[in-house]
């Protein structure tokens, strides 16, 4: 791991167009080698995009592996490049909503696109944040990841085991909560609501936390700029009349928003995650190979 981290550090000195193309090439190789992850990605795409042909889904899955690999290698720039370089490469539209964050508790809702760390850096260049952090199994990588995510400003990272109380305390001090809401964590505190028309165990935590704190929910999505020129981080308007009284409806609304963003950059969504591993009672796993 130390050798790998050292390689990522060395390569962060490369121009982004060179580094990005290296990542893309590695991703093409990984698509051929990582059969299990390829199966997961193609299963997800068959469920979410049945309108595509199988050949089109294979192309999209390969593009996803390329995008994911590229994002991993480019992370070295996020961890070690000077602030001036990051500000040149990250285009924030329309800008980090600092005034709104200062005005009331805020959830920055960041779906799992491969460049989500770029969105975190865009925020941290301007203000602190808090988030849930899952410790990495490798101690060397865990230390690098923690330092990389907190090198500009203090960041409050909480374990999922600590529950929601530390997050609520931080939000009441107007520290924005950077929330990754769209993974399958089981059926606890979740509702089965459609994601691309397929019932998916979806966390109701965004709605419940917003209701408990009076927080505004501001979505943020990070994607690649064309031709390996950097990244775009888009802050969307705060959701109005959210969450309402129905937590299932608030989860459905969130999934619909994410679907729209996925269709704008389909190769960059995290298709190698088992988004549908938790099924309604009696329904088999779609990832089982027959």
């Amino acid at each position: 791991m130390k050798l790998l981290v050292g390689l990522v550090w060395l390569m962060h000195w490369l121009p982004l167009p060179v580094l990005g193309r290296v990542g893309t090439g590695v991703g093409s190789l990984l698509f051929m080698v990582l059969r299990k992850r390829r199966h997961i990605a193609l299963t997800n795409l068959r469920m979410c995009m049945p309108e595509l042909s199988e050949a089109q889904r294979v192309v999209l899955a390969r593009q996803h592996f390329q995008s994911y690999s590229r994002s991993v290698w480019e992370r070295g720039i996020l961890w070690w490049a000077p602030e001036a370089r990051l500000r040149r490469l990250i285009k924030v539209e329309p800008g980090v909503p600092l005034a709104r964050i200062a005005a009331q508790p805020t959830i920055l809702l960041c779906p799992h696109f491969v460049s989500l760390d770029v969105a975190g850096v865009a925020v941290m260049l301007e203000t602190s944040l808090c988030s849930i952090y899952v410790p990495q199994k490798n101690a060397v990588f865990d230390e690098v990841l923690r330092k990389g995510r907190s090198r500009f400003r203090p960041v409050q990272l909480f374990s999922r085991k600590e529950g929601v109380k530390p997050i609520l305390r931080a939000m009441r001090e107007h520290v924005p909560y950077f929330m990754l809401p769209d993974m399958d964590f089981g059926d606890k505190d979740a509702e089965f609501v459609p994601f691309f028309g397929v019932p998916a165990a979806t966390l109701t935590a965004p709605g419940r936390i917003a209701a408990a704190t009076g927080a505004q929910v501001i979505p943020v999505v990070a994607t690649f700029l064309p031709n390996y020129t950097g990244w775009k981080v888009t802050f969307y308007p705060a959701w109005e009349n959210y969450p309402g009284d129905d937590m299932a409806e608030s989860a459905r609304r969130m999934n619909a928003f994410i679907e729209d963003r996925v269709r704008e950059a389909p190769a960059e969504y995290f298709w190698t995650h088992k988004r549908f591993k938790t099924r309604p009672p009696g329904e088999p796993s779609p990832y089982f190979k027959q």
Side-chain angles (χ1 to χ4, degrees):
M1 180 55 69
K2 289 182 178 179
L3 289 174
L4 179 59
V5 170
L7 179 61
V8 174
W9 178 82
L10 283 173
M11 293 184 68
H12 97 273
W13 296 101
L14 293 172
L16 181 58
V18 175
L19 180 59
R21 286 179 170 87
V22 170
T24 298
V26 173
S28 297
L29 177 62
L30 293 176
F31 178 75
M32 293 185 289
V33 173
L34 300 180
R35 298 175 62 183
K36 181 178 179 180
R37 289 293 167 183
R38 185 176 69 226
H39 168 71
I40 293 169
L42 287 170
T43 299
N44 285 333
L45 288 169
R46 291 182 190 115
M47 297 175 73
C48 294
M49 298 187 177
E51 71 277 9
L52 299 181
S53 68
E54 185 66 8
Q56 289 173 318
R57 288 190 287 265
V58 169
V59 169
L60 185 53
R62 182 182 294 109
Q63 290 172 343
H64 169 66
F65 273 73
Q66 293 168 342
S67 296
Y68 184 75
S69 171
R70 174 183 167 186
S71 75
V72 171
W73 291 102
E74 291 178 353
R75 227 166 269 182
I77 295 176
L78 304 180
W79 292 341
W80 294 297
E83 180 177 335
R85 186 183 182 192
L86 290 172
R87 290 189 181 275
R88 287 196 305 271
L89 293 174
I90 302 174
K91 310 301 180 186
V92 183
E93 298 182 356
V96 180
L98 296 175
R100 296 209 60 156
I101 289 172
Q104 71 181 95
T106 301
I107 297 172
L108 296 175
L109 195 98
C110 185
H112 273 83
F113 286 78
V114 297
S115 297
L116 65 86
D117 276 78
V118 180
V121 169
V123 176
M124 292 294 289
L125 287 171
E126 308 298 342
T127 186
S128 298
L129 53 75
C130 67
S131 190
I132 295 292
Y133 180 77
V134 179
Q136 304 300 301
K137 294 180 181 179
N138 184 281
V140 172
F141 182 66
D142 188 76
E143 182 180 5
V144 171
L145 191 58
R146 283 179 177 270
K147 287 183 177 179
R149 288 181 172 178
S150 60
R151 69 189 185 107
F152 295 109
R153 283 174 177 77
V155 57
Q156 299 182 44
L157 298 176
F158 305 116
S159 167
R160 194 171 299 280
K161 295 179 181 179
E162 295 179 77
V164 74
K165 289 184 179 180
I167 296 170
L168 299 182
R169 285 196 297 267
M171 290 178 65
R172 291 187 179 112
E173 296 172 0
H174 288 199
V175 178
Y177 174 31
F178 192 80
M179 187 179 194
L180 313 176
D182 53 331
M183 299 192 86
D184 188 334
F185 293 105
D187 55 8
K188 182 180 179 181
D189 298 323
E191 295 279 354
F192 283 102
V193 296
F195 184 60
F196 285 94
V198 181
T202 304
L203 290 175
T204 57
R208 291 186 288 105
I209 293 174
T213 60
Q216 60 188 337
V217 173
I218 299 177
V220 54
V221 175
T223 52
F224 295 125
L225 287 171
N227 303 318
Y228 301 91
T229 54
W231 307 276
K232 180 176 71 171
V233 176
T234 304
F235 287 88
Y236 293 84
W239 286 344
E240 297 182 359
N241 304 316
Y242 182 89
D245 298 326
D246 187 337
M247 291 299 114
E249 180 57 36
S250 71
R252 185 179 293 108
R253 179 178 175 183
M254 179 183 73
N255 278 0
F257 172 86
I258 295 172
E259 286 178 29
D260 290 341
R261 305 289 78 77
V262 171
R263 293 193 183 280
E264 294 168 354
E268 298 180 44
Y269 192 64
F270 202 55
W271 294 115
T272 51
H273 167 65
K274 291 183 178 180
R275 184 63 186 89
F276 305 104
K277 65 182 177 182
T278 302
R279 306 311 306 139
E283 188 172 316
S285 169
Y287 305 105
F288 178 72
K289 284 187 176 182
Q290 298 189 6

